[in-house]
Amino acid sequence: MKKLMKKMVEGTKQVVVNAPGVLAVRLNRFRTEERGDAMQWVIGILITLLLFIAVYLLFKAQINTFVVDKIFGKMNSLD
């Protein structure tokens, strides 16, 4: 497994060395920088959940009517 990872890293280095100009800089930065930040993920998920809750609270009656009438109503008529 380590040999495969080392081979991939060396291959990436070769691409970076052989790539022209700005692309080389971007590929090198992508390869060397730490990717991802846990706090950004947590805050992003939290904001998404809050948006879903807000939309549900705003359209609670319409959502319940849609589910009961349109979805379950059609299922009852299939009997």
Side-chain angles (χ1 to χ4, degrees):
M1 186 68 173
K2 287 184 180 181
K3 288 182 181 180
L4 178 63
M5 291 299 292
K6 188 173 182 178
K7 188 175 181 180
M8 289 174 61
V9 169
E10 289 300 320
T12 305
K13 285 181 183 177
Q14 290 300 321
V15 169
V16 170
V17 169
N18 295 330
V22 175
L23 181 61
V25 172
R26 288 183 180 173
L27 285 173
N28 192 32
R29 190 174 65 212
F30 179 79
R31 187 179 59 81
T32 57
E33 286 182 357
E34 182 179 333
R35 303 304 294 170
D37 182 12
M39 194 62 181
Q40 287 178 345
W41 278 95
V42 170
I43 291 175
I45 291 170
L46 179 66
I47 290 172
T48 304
L49 287 173
L50 289 174
L51 285 172
F52 278 127
I53 292 169
V55 168
Y56 176 75
L57 290 176
L58 287 173
F59 299 106
K60 188 175 182 179
Q62 291 88 346
I63 292 172
N64 289 336
T65 302
F66 176 78
V67 170
V68 171
D69 293 343
K70 303 291 183 181
I71 296 175
F72 291 125
K74 288 187 178 186
M75 291 178 73
N76 289 336
S77 67
L78 295 175
D79 292 337

